[in-house]
Amino acid sequence: MPVNTEQLREHRSGSRAWGLVLALVLLAFACLVSLWVGAKGIPFTATWDLLWHDNGSSEAAIIQDLRIPRTLLGLLAGAALGLGGALMQALTRNPLADPGLLGVNMGASAAVVIAIGFFGLSSLTGYLWFALAGAAGAAVLVYVLGTAGRGSATPERLVLAGAAITAVVFAFVQAVLLLNPLTFNQFRFWDVGSLASRRMDVVTQVAPFVVIGVVLALSQARALNALALGDQAGKALGAHVGRTRVLVAVAVTLLCGAATAAAGPITFVGLAVPHAVRLLVGPDQRWVLPYSMILAPILLIGSDILGRVIGGAEEVEVGIVTAIVGAPVFVLLCRSRKLARL
């Protein structure tokens, strides 16, 4: 009996759509657990009530001032890192690519070191804008170097330029930290990657960058599908190669710059999640991007919850937990015979 390809395509599309709905339900559940679980035990019914009614109690202050901003930041940062990782892997056609390849993380780190060591800033809100500017500046410099000379900004040239800029900036950061112990003491709390102690003003500052980055990223899904076949084939299919690479680079900078500025460098989320997504839905970027945007915050918020549970009163920072959890998962994905190709 012949297979109806149109029906098969519709069935796969329906399955992916339902999978996306299930992922959204899991994300909502993770957010609720994040609001409920913490060092101070608050019954779930009381937590739910305090979400909508601030009665002025200490429990209400914990929910409203600490756990809600923390959960929202986990949602934003996770979505940004997952989407940024998927974009980087599609842009460079490199399955091992992550947002750090454009120098975003290291640029943000250098700017934070400058803000602390040379301007004496001590609060997260004080050096948040420095981190955003540093991430953007590093990405622009990488793109300029990648397009210098003859030829266009090929994936290989962007990767090489990103590696060179990252090495130079890393040396600068280490030199400043070694010469200034006070800067190191303050910088290390940001550098480990954390969602704790972030207030709502941090969330409102980074949210517009993440929203703009998400819109840009999702708008380039079809063009990235075309470029996956190569530049020449992409042009033949109507994709504007140069414009697509610029818009994707801007989206990665906005997404990962905002996430890194607010939560610090968090590893493996942007690297491992897109791999898992391609195993689930295939290489079509129209599905890879939204799935990565939803599954990554589940991983990040889940790791944050795990850090609270295993650490007790002394929490384990989420950047440490994602590295411990993400590294083995990523190794298993890489060893799988069904490792999804870009």
Side-chain angles (χ1 to χ4, degrees):
M1 182 177 180
V3 178
N4 189 319
T5 56
E6 187 63 31
Q7 287 182 348
L8 185 59
R9 189 179 298 112
E10 289 180 0
H11 175 72
R12 287 177 177 173
S13 253
S15 299
R16 290 166 178 167
W18 280 111
L20 207 58
V21 172
L22 177 60
L24 284 170
V25 172
L26 290 175
L27 179 58
F29 176 74
C31 290
L32 282 175
V33 175
S34 176
L35 294 169
W36 175 36
V37 174
K40 181 175 176 58
I42 301 175
F44 181 78
T45 53
T47 300
W48 180 260
D49 185 61
L50 292 172
L51 282 177
W52 316 106
H53 307 96
D54 187 350
N55 59 15
S57 65
S58 60
E59 288 82 4
I62 291 172
I63 299 296
Q64 297 287 337
D65 299 336
L66 298 177
R67 293 186 187 173
I68 289 179
R70 183 174 189 164
T71 302
L72 290 177
L73 183 58
L75 187 64
L76 288 173
L81 291 172
L83 196 52
L87 288 173
M88 278 302 302
Q89 292 172 14
L91 176 67
T92 62
R93 297 198 288 273
N94 179 359
L96 296 178
D98 73 342
L101 275 186
L102 273 185
V104 172
N105 290 351
M106 195 52 62
S109 298
V112 170
V113 166
I114 291 171
I116 296 172
F118 297 97
F119 292 92
L121 299 180
S122 58
S123 66
L124 178 64
T125 53
Y127 49 72
L128 179 66
W129 292 102
F130 276 83
L132 284 168
V140 169
L141 187 56
V142 166
Y143 196 83
V144 169
L145 288 178
T147 55
R150 297 180 180 180
S152 60
T154 62
E156 294 79 11
R157 296 182 71 177
L158 288 174
V159 169
L160 289 173
I165 293 300
T166 297
V168 172
V169 176
F170 177 77
F172 166 77
V173 169
Q174 294 303 307
V176 174
L177 295 179
L178 287 173
L179 295 172
N180 193 333
L182 293 178
T183 301
F184 171 75
N185 286 335
Q186 203 166 328
F187 173 76
R188 64 192 176 95
F189 291 106
W190 175 85
D191 190 51
V192 72
S194 176
L195 302 178
S197 303
R198 270 54 171 180
R199 302 288 182 171
M200 190 59 75
D201 56 348
V202 174
V203 176
T204 56
Q205 285 177 23
V206 301
F209 296 96
V210 175
V211 170
I212 295 171
V214 166
V215 173
L216 274 178
L218 297 180
S219 70
Q220 298 305 303
R222 289 182 181 274
L224 287 172
N225 280 340
L227 292 187
L229 302 174
D231 290 359
Q232 295 302 320
K235 289 179 182 178
L237 291 172
H240 193 295
V241 177
R243 182 177 63 192
T244 299
R245 288 198 176 122
V246 169
L247 290 177
V248 170
V250 170
V252 171
T253 302
L254 290 173
L255 291 168
C256 300
T260 304
I266 296 176
T267 57
F268 283 107
V269 174
L271 183 62
V273 169
H275 276 284
V277 168
R278 285 192 294 273
L279 287 174
L280 290 172
V281 301
D284 189 342
Q285 297 299 325
R286 292 173 299 176
W287 292 104
V288 170
L289 296 182
Y291 263 91
S292 298
M293 185 177 67
I294 294 171
L295 293 182
I298 295 175
L299 172 61
L300 186 61
I301 293 173
S303 297
D304 187 45
I305 295 168
L306 183 61
R308 299 183 222 173
V309 171
I310 63 178
E314 298 294 332
E315 298 181 2
V316 179
E317 305 295 350
V318 69
I320 299 172
V321 179
T322 56
I324 295 172
V325 172
V329 171
F330 183 66
V331 169
L332 290 175
L333 288 172
C334 289
R335 290 177 60 86
S336 172
R337 293 181 179 180
K338 297 181 179 180
L339 180 62
R341 291 182 294 178
L342 291 170

